Amino acid sequence: MDIAFTEEELAFQQEVSDFLDEAWPEEMRRKYSRNALENFSRDDRIAWQQRLAEKGWAAINWPTEHGGAGFSHTQKYLFDLELARAGAPAMVPMGVSMVAHVIMKFGTDEQKQEYLPDILHSRTFWCQGYSEPGSGSDLASLSTKAEDHGDHYLVNGVKTWNTLGQHADMIFCLVRTSQEAKRQMGISFLLIDMKSPGITVEPIITMDQPKEGFQEINTVYFEDVQVPKENLVGEEGKGWTCAKYLLEFERGNAQSPGLYESLNHVEWMARETQSGEGAVFDDDDFRDRFNDLKIQTMAMEATEMRILGSLSAGQNVGPESSLLKTRGSEISQAISELAGEVAGYYGIPLDQSTPLDDDDFIPAGPEHFSGVSQKYFNLRKTSIYAGSNEIQRNIMAKLVLGLE
Amino acid sequence: MDIAFTEEELAFQQEVSDFLDEAWPEEMRRKYSRNALENFSRDDRIAWQQRLAEKGWAAINWPTEHGGAGFSHTQKYLFDLELARAGAPAMVPMGVSMVAHVIMKFGTDEQKQEYLPDILHSRTFWCQGYSEPGSGSDLASLSTKAEDHGDHYLVNGVKTWNTLGQHADMIFCLVRTSQEAKRQMGISFLLIDMKSPGITVEPIITMDQPKEGFQEINTVYFEDVQVPKENLVGEEGKGWTCAKYLLEFERGNAQSPGLYESLNHVEWMARETQSGEGAVFDDDDFRDRFNDLKIQTMAMEATEMRILGSLSAGQNVGPESSLLKTRGSEISQAISELAGEVAGYYGIPLDQSTPLDDDDFIPAGPEHFSGVSQKYFNLRKTSIYAGSNEIQRNIMAKLVLGLE
Amino acid sequence: MDLSLNDEQSLIQSSVERFILNDYTFEQRQKIVAEDPGYSQEHWTTFAELGWLAIPFSEEDGGLGGTGVESMVLLEQFGRGIVVEPFIPTVVLAAGAIRLGGSTEQRKRFIPDIIDGKLQGALAFAEPQGRYDLHDLTTTATAKGDGFVINGYKAVVLNAPAADFLVVSARTSGSQRDTDGVSLFVLDARSAGISRHDFTTVDAMRASEITFENVEVGPDALLGAAGAGLAALQQVIDEGTFAVCAEAVGCVEVLYKDTVEYSKIREQFGQRLGSFQALQHRMVDMFMAYEQSRSLLYMTAAHLENGYDEQAQKHITALKVQIGKAAKLVGQEAIQIHGGMGLTDELSISHYFKRVTVIENMFGNNRFHLKRFGALAG
Amino acid sequence: MDLSLNDEQSLIQSSVERFILNDYTFEQRQKIVAEDPGYSQEHWTTFAELGWLAIPFSEEDGGLGGTGVESMVLLEQFGRGIVVEPFIPTVVLAAGAIRLGGSTEQRKRFIPDIIDGKLQGALAFAEPQGRYDLHDLTTTATAKGDGFVINGYKAVVLNAPAADFLVVSARTSGSQRDTDGVSLFVLDARSAGISRHDFTTVDAMRASEITFENVEVGPDALLGAAGAGLAALQQVIDEGTFAVCAEAVGCVEVLYKDTVEYSKIREQFGQRLGSFQALQHRMVDMFMAYEQSRSLLYMTAAHLENGYDEQAQKHITALKVQIGKAAKLVGQEAIQIHGGMGLTDELSISHYFKRVTVIENMFGNNRFHLKRFGALAG
């Protein structure tokens, strides 16, 4: 056993930290910590991702042959840690962490050449078209149709819970190319240009009420959208295989660095905020509950170290990823709940500020409380999306405990 | 709405309190509070129940024609309250609160005459024979057989989770008198003399490790036991009806008086017990958790008032009784957990004291901590017996929420 | 011992219930909150006509002489509709302070117009540094002539944008956290020296941050005796606490029942959600939390019928804890079981969740009341 | 960063695992605890022969120079067998005090015989009024000649009935709750003036209340410098805390796995228990609690490898909180899901539950450690 980092690892950590000082300066940090929701603008996000790409750090889960960073597990962990400390956003995952893996595994050489470099350098903004109205966690019940029209598919249907589609250049979709008895069959994996005629994007307003244009999710409508046949990834009817493969990448990242950062922020707020004779943080009961969450996070960190650390590069996390997803979402929700408690009455005002330069929104109370409740509302999603925590528990019951 | 008691009610409360001062004097209270498990001796219990009977207060749920106390709901509540305050035990339920109701409802006039007066005056000690090894909450899976032998049944089988059978004169049993397709059919309700040849009682040692002879539960074996036909209650094959009827009486009593009393005892212990610079009760965090349980008990009390108070005499509590059973057991378990926390290291010694006069057991620590952990272990039963809390939740899901 | 409603109270209940059902659908509510002033003047007039605004006032003041039970019955139903009309800010809080602390003259000046629906009010009592401590005040009222000059800052004053009058707590003597020296003033909301920063709240209400800069008021602005306003303020806040608890019980009822109904329709993996046992048990927990909260609400109301004594205070504080926990459990589970749909602004469920979340942070959160419960006698 | 065992540690692990599986079935354990002295001398000799009793001692003292990881590996397996042999009282606690605080001469006097399995010890540190505060002492050691006279009372001293020697904390100066003035003494358990009240514990161990009445000891009884014993005592208790946490992880593993296995066999209403989704989800929570506890145990061990520094202390305290919560959840659920059978003495499950319940109350419960965690730097 060894808890210490090697000199090389510490040097790497310093390198990341130095890079962030420059690439994500205090100014950006302030801009985005104005509101707990941290709605990034498209331009800032792309500029930042391109900086990461220049440095060679955009694709930390890619093999080096495609331009991956080639990080060890410890380096990944340290990278996440420093990112969280600097308040810098992680890469938008739909391109670099999702569709790219499917293209690498199932795509043709032409597809790899066409898409991967643009993903790596954030020249193409990707979004995902999986869920449909009514499908919920039951993905295989999808009904968006792609009919074979010779050189192209004709796509009709509706995709929902589409993240950041308003910014996207491309969408990867699960579509039904034939009707089979077993629902997972007959599904194909298609790449579609978002500028294709027949596509419309409609925002879904979530309960945290982001400002117009800053919604996190959308519904995407496809009406007689023509998609060239060469945009099919893998075999027709084998889209479910792609989807399952991709899911393994969705939950593998270390969450404890971000959780620690959130805890530090809550601690800072609770030390700043008066209650009775002292600060909120001086209240025994508050501090006990805070520390309980911190200890939960330590146990989470240790679990990440054990699970992630035991994998050799390229290996996928097994059903234990369900544990990390479940606990990570529960802890992050609890932290946001505690933040709301610190805010007190200042959790009540609605913050609709944006990071745009011409925005003159003035928060009602201290800036650090802006959007704190909205963050709490927003994070309810984490136990619902990417396979709800109920689905994760079903998976663990079946695959880990052998219960059916 | 009216929260106050009438003058008549307050006078009644005083009467109960005066009676208890004499009938359950401080001396008895001390004897039984020596150990948190409060294992009563058979003799003390019977003597006490006979005092209640003399006073006319043994059968608070019986109609007055059979010698019931004729209490109003408020009187019942006040009676429970004073009993809890004095630390006096409630009537052992198997006779007066269980089999008696079945006999009243389904029994012949002969059976009523033979059994009810002896039950009322605690001249007969009853126990119950329902569960069988392996049946758990699935009562209808029972397999104890009663074969028709003309003037008697020949009973063979095993009954378990039998409460206080070592003291009992009579047992009421569910037995299978015929094999039917639907499992609930073919079950009959039999009264059996515990002195019948072929009956043996074996203690089940529970994890709280009561002293020999003070076990709460037993297994009862029946080997070719002859039971006269006149001991059948109701029709042959209709025992399930009796059982269902009886279940309604099992969960109808107000639990909040007892919960308040347990809370008071924990508070007293926590004020007596030093921790750091002050008493355990002076610790903010402890007091918060204590008060949280107190508030849960207040909500429980209010629910009991609403549910029990809205019934006119003789009416049965509906599926809401499942709520009271579930919450009551959860709260009582949590209180016993808190008591263990107060005891600290003194929760560790095993207490095997008895209330017998010749017992010279000396507890390791302060007497009020004796058996505190064992009480915590013992109370795990409350969420398991009489329909586990899972069963109660199933019942509420179905009958209250309409979910299937 | 009787926790049931009398006939008159039952009548109010069914009348409000009918209003919510017929005139206050979620779609209608959303239209109201989308436009200024954020509530419906028409509805407010209806409330006045139906006598609802008169409920808590004594007959002497032109009211109906309700005891708390009647307000509870009204607000429980308002909770079921997440009604945004400012009944609590105006009638319970601002007018409550006048009802409890005002002279006959002051009551006459305000209460009839409030009952008639002509006046809106707001209670400006919270300050940023004071959190939930009513006596922690940096706002001052200094004697000048026979009146006072008010200087200070008040946080998150609900209904202030629409208010015609304000009731303000200010310190006439003592230092920041003294319990003596707190006074209440009632003044025109448009008095010179008052400036507001208006905003919308996460639960679609309107509120303001208010700065008082040399606001001059006459002697008739003082409610009760100078320096002795804390008792009345505490009672008003307790009544407000009881009111939001009643409202929250209505919200929790909808949260749990809508979730159960949704689970009966919604299918996943070819099965109705409601047939999954893990969800069934959790919905039972929601039901139990609701049922017990409602019971404690009614028991608290029964105590209030006896008067605002220590038992009543203790029950109100216990109730806030119970409701806070129940609303959090039921709210979070309602969203979770609704899944993606629960996250949207489109479905009403998230709006109930947001309302109960705000209520949890009002007048002291769970932990504040747990401590207060421990500190109260009895 | 590496939380895996090295080859030697893995060897210990499989050797202990084999012992538990083959020689320490539940039936065998129950036979042992039913008779005096409540543990098996034969097993103890085996432990000595296999070198397990030598693990924590330095090579200089004749030990194996283990760092904490080795003890952890051993105790995790002991937890799986709910081993009653007094490894923690003798080797971790009593001998630990000598290892950390003793002179070369004192170490030579005790440690080789402990390693050989010839000596049993007990650490008498807790007092009724002191609860979990190691420095809260009314037991005194007064200088007399070149030695001391000890007077006082010690609570719940585990393994005292079998102990050949005792390590006692006593105050040589200062008042009851001073941190200075605490001294440790090692003495013959049969010294004149020592009287014991022996008892069995709820988890089938043996312990005593001990009264010290004018117990005279020589100068060689003092461990370390007079009045400066608290640091060593704190470290011993921290090591003991880590040890019981390792044991509890083993217990929790059995509690959760046995429950899952039971649910696969046991039928209710014609269905296997394990097929009920509500129970499945709860068993998943048990699994997650176990998995995270074990992870934190290993991370703590890795910190201890770095030395007993502030990070190690903080992790031990965090671990005690995590294990305390996990063991309570898993233990209670294990009993509940086992139903009636879980309540009996006959099935092993209740014995694991009782052991983890006792562990929760040892060396500071959850809330004690939550506060200590907050007070520790880092």
Side-chain angles (χ1 to χ4, degrees), chain A residues 207 285 341-342 346 383, chain C residues 131 209 332 336 354 367:
Chain A
M207 63 169 141
D285 173 81
E341 194 177 316
V342 178
Y346 282 124
S383 50
Chain C
R131 208 165 164 82
E209 298 286 291
Q332 292 181 350
Q336 183 68 24
K354 290 195 279 189
R367 317 308 292 195

Side-chain angles (χ1 to χ4, degrees), chain B residues 4-272:
Chain B
F5 296 113
T6 64
E7 266 179 52
E8 289 75 21
E9 288 163 345
L10 291 171
F12 170 79
Q13 185 174 19
Q14 189 61 50
E15 187 189 354
V16 178
S17 167
D18 291 344
F19 167 76
L20 288 169
D21 281 348
E22 203 197 312
W24 191 258
E26 185 59 25
E27 170 210 333
M28 290 301 276
R29 180 167 197 165
R30 263 205 310 277
K31 184 171 172 180
Y32 285 100
S33 64
R34 254 196 342 226
N35 174 338
L37 281 180
E38 295 185 347
N39 289 311
F40 293 99
S41 73
R42 184 183 198 271
D43 290 350
D44 281 342
R45 210 187 257 282
I46 289 176
W48 157 244
Q49 296 197 162
Q50 292 182 340
R51 274 305 299 275
L52 282 175
E54 279 168 37
K55 181 76 185 171
W57 290 350
I60 60 174
N61 283 315
W62 287 21
T64 43
E65 50 171 306
H66 289 295
F71 287 171
S72 68
H73 281 287
T74 304
Q75 284 179 316
K76 272 186 213 171
Y77 177 84
L78 291 170
F79 185 72
D80 288 343
L81 190 72
E82 291 304 315
L83 228 57
R85 278 194 193 154
M91 294 286 291
V92 175
M94 284 82 75
V96 74
S97 302
M98 297 173 77
V99 71
H101 291 292
V102 174
I103 292 170
M104 280 181 226
K105 174 89 173 181
F106 302 100
T108 61
D109 285 343
E110 290 71 26
Q111 287 172 332
K112 288 178 195 171
Q113 278 160 27
E114 179 167 357
Y115 296 114
L116 295 180
D118 286 347
I119 290 174
L120 186 62
H121 292 281
S122 290
R123 289 188 296 256
T124 319
F125 199 119
W126 283 80
C127 68
Q128 182 189 40
Y130 268 31
S131 290
E132 300 189 1
S135 69
S137 289
D138 183 8
L139 208 54
S141 68
L142 66 90
S143 65
T144 293
K145 252 186 279 183
E147 285 168 319
D148 191 333
H149 279 230
D151 65 339
H152 68 273
Y153 293 105
L154 197 68
V155 177
N156 278 288
V158 187
K159 292 291 180 180
T160 190
W161 311 125
N162 160 278
T163 303
L164 297 182
Q166 75 268 37
H167 299 329
D169 305 304
M170 291 290 294
I171 184 168
F172 61 95
C173 284
L174 290 181
V175 295
R176 194 164 288 288
T177 39
S178 75
Q179 304 292 335
E180 305 263 345
K182 193 159 183 289
R183 299 183 309 160
Q184 282 84 350
M185 312 294 270
I187 291 174
S188 299
F189 194 98
L190 269 193
L191 313 179
I192 307 180
D193 189 327
M194 286 292 280
K195 285 181 293 295
S196 312
I199 292 185
T200 44
V201 178
E202 256 187 29
I204 293 176
I205 306 304
T206 43
M207 64 169 142
D208 51 330
Q209 292 177 263
K211 186 91 173 177
E212 202 184 323
F214 286 86
Q215 75 272 16
E216 281 187 337
I217 49 172
N218 302 278
T219 303
V220 182
Y221 297 87
F222 298 84
E223 209 185 322
D224 289 337
V225 177
Q226 298 189 10
V227 181
K229 278 257 172 103
E230 60 260 35
N231 283 19
L232 174 74
V233 182
E235 286 175 52
E236 193 181 278
K238 293 283 172 66
W240 193 250
T241 312
C242 300
K244 269 172 55 185
Y245 177 72
L246 196 157
L247 270 177
E248 296 172 7
F249 289 88
E250 222 179 332
R251 295 184 300 262
N253 272 359
Q255 298 177 68
S256 56
L259 296 174
Y260 279 126
E261 200 48 35
S262 302
L263 283 166
N264 288 343
H265 187 61
V266 170
E267 177 172 342
W268 176 81
M269 289 196 300
R271 287 189 189 279
E272 287 287 302

Side-chain angles (χ1 to χ4, degrees), chain B residues 207 285 341-342 346 383, chain D residues 131 209 336 345 354 367:
Chain B
M207 64 169 142
D285 173 81
E341 195 177 315
V342 177
Y346 283 123
S383 51
Chain D
R131 211 167 161 81
E209 299 287 292
Q336 182 70 24
D345 190 69
K354 289 195 278 188
R367 318 308 293 194

Side-chain angles (χ1 to χ4, degrees), chain A residues 102-394:
Chain A
V102 174
I103 293 171
M104 278 181 230
K105 173 88 173 181
F106 302 100
T108 61
D109 285 344
E110 290 70 28
Q111 287 172 332
K112 288 177 194 172
Q113 278 160 28
E114 179 166 356
Y115 296 114
L116 294 181
D118 286 349
I119 289 173
L120 186 62
H121 293 281
S122 290
R123 291 188 295 256
T124 318
F125 199 121
W126 284 81
C127 68
Q128 182 188 40
Y130 269 31
S131 291
E132 300 189 0
S135 69
S137 290
D138 183 8
L139 207 54
S141 69
L142 65 88
S143 65
T144 293
K145 251 186 279 183
E147 286 168 317
D148 191 334
H149 279 231
D151 65 338
H152 69 271
Y153 293 106
L154 198 67
V155 177
N156 277 288
V158 186
K159 291 292 180 180
T160 190
W161 312 123
N162 160 278
T163 302
L164 298 182
Q166 75 270 37
H167 298 329
D169 306 303
M170 292 289 293
I171 184 169
F172 60 96
C173 284
L174 290 181
V175 295
R176 195 166 288 288
T177 39
S178 77
Q179 305 292 334
E180 306 264 343
K182 192 158 185 292
R183 299 182 311 158
Q184 281 83 349
M185 313 294 269
I187 291 175
S188 299
F189 195 98
L190 270 192
L191 312 178
I192 308 180
D193 190 328
M194 287 292 281
K195 286 180 293 294
S196 311
I199 292 184
T200 44
V201 178
E202 257 187 27
I204 294 175
I205 306 305
T206 43
M207 63 169 141
D208 51 329
Q209 291 177 265
K211 187 93 173 175
E212 201 184 324
F214 285 86
Q215 75 272 15
E216 281 188 336
I217 50 171
N218 302 278
T219 304
V220 182
Y221 297 87
F222 298 85
E223 209 186 325
D224 289 337
V225 177
Q226 299 190 8
V227 181
K229 279 262 171 98
E230 61 261 33
N231 283 18
L232 174 73
V233 181
E235 286 175 53
E236 194 180 277
K238 294 284 173 65
W240 193 249
T241 311
C242 300
K244 267 173 54 184
Y245 177 73
L246 196 157
L247 270 177
E248 297 173 7
F249 289 89
E250 223 178 330
R251 296 185 299 265
N253 272 357
Q255 297 176 71
S256 55
L259 297 173
Y260 279 125
E261 202 47 36
S262 302
L263 283 166
N264 288 342
H265 188 60
V266 170
E267 176 172 344
W268 177 82
M269 290 196 300
R271 287 189 189 278
E272 287 288 301
T273 307
Q274 286 302 303
S275 168
E277 306 287 349
V280 169
F281 199 74
D282 293 335
D283 178 77
D284 267 358
D285 173 81
F286 180 89
R287 204 167 45 220
D288 282 357
R289 284 179 296 132
F290 175 85
N291 281 325
D292 189 67
L293 284 172
K294 198 162 191 174
I295 291 169
Q296 290 183 44
T297 305
M298 288 167 73
M300 176 85 182
E301 180 190 17
T303 308
E304 288 176 341
M305 279 188 182
R306 260 180 68 216
I307 294 181
L308 302 179
S310 70
L311 303 174
S312 53
Q315 236 186 312
N316 290 323
V317 183
E320 284 83 3
S321 70
S322 291
L323 185 159
L324 299 181
K325 197 270 177 182
T326 303
R327 288 301 295 141
S329 59
E330 288 170 354
I331 297 171
S332 73
Q333 290 174 344
I335 296 172
S336 75
E337 211 174 297
L338 210 56
E341 194 177 316
V342 178
Y345 283 116
Y346 282 124
I348 297 179
L350 180 70
D351 179 352
Q352 288 202 319
S353 65
T354 71
L356 300 180
D357 292 333
D358 60 354
D359 183 16
D360 56 358
F361 181 92
I362 300 168
E367 201 173 77
H368 54 265
F369 290 143
S370 265
V372 158
S373 294
Q374 290 158 271
K375 180 82 179 179
Y376 165 67
F377 300 144
N378 181 280
L379 288 182
R380 302 317 305 168
K381 72 186 176 194
T382 59
S383 50
I384 293 172
Y385 68 15
S388 71
N389 285 10
E390 287 78 19
I391 299 289
Q392 304 301 339
R393 282 188 167 83
N394 287 345

Side-chain angles (χ1 to χ4, degrees), chain D residues 71-194:
Chain D
S71 298
M72 174 191 85
V73 162
L74 179 87
L75 284 160
E76 197 183 344
Q77 298 305 319
F78 275 12
R80 291 177 65 189
I82 24 176
V83 166
V84 292
E85 280 62 32
F87 185 87
I88 291 175
T90 292
V91 178
V92 178
L93 297 176
I98 299 171
R99 175 172 62 82
L100 292 167
S103 63
T104 312
E105 199 282 319
Q106 286 168 323
R107 299 206 305 278
K108 258 198 197 137
R109 181 149 41 107
F110 290 96
I111 293 177
D113 283 350
I114 292 166
I115 288 176
D116 287 348
K118 291 181 198 150
L119 283 185
Q120 287 289 352
L123 178 68
F125 66 100
E127 298 186 4
Q129 85 293 340
R131 211 167 161 81
Y132 301 124
D133 290 342
L134 303 177
H135 59 282
D136 190 323
L137 295 178
T138 60
T139 297
T140 56
T142 318
K144 185 184 177 189
D146 55 355
F148 297 87
V149 182
I150 301 174
N151 278 288
Y153 186 91
K154 294 290 174 176
V156 192
V157 184
L158 291 171
N159 202 37
D164 301 298
F165 69 97
L166 298 178
V167 175
V168 186
S169 63
R171 188 162 283 295
T172 42
S173 66
S175 57
Q176 187 183 324
R177 289 182 54 79
D178 284 353
T179 49
D180 283 341
V182 176
S183 303
L184 295 177
F185 297 90
V186 56
L187 57 156
D188 190 314
R190 284 145 203 108
S191 307
I194 291 181

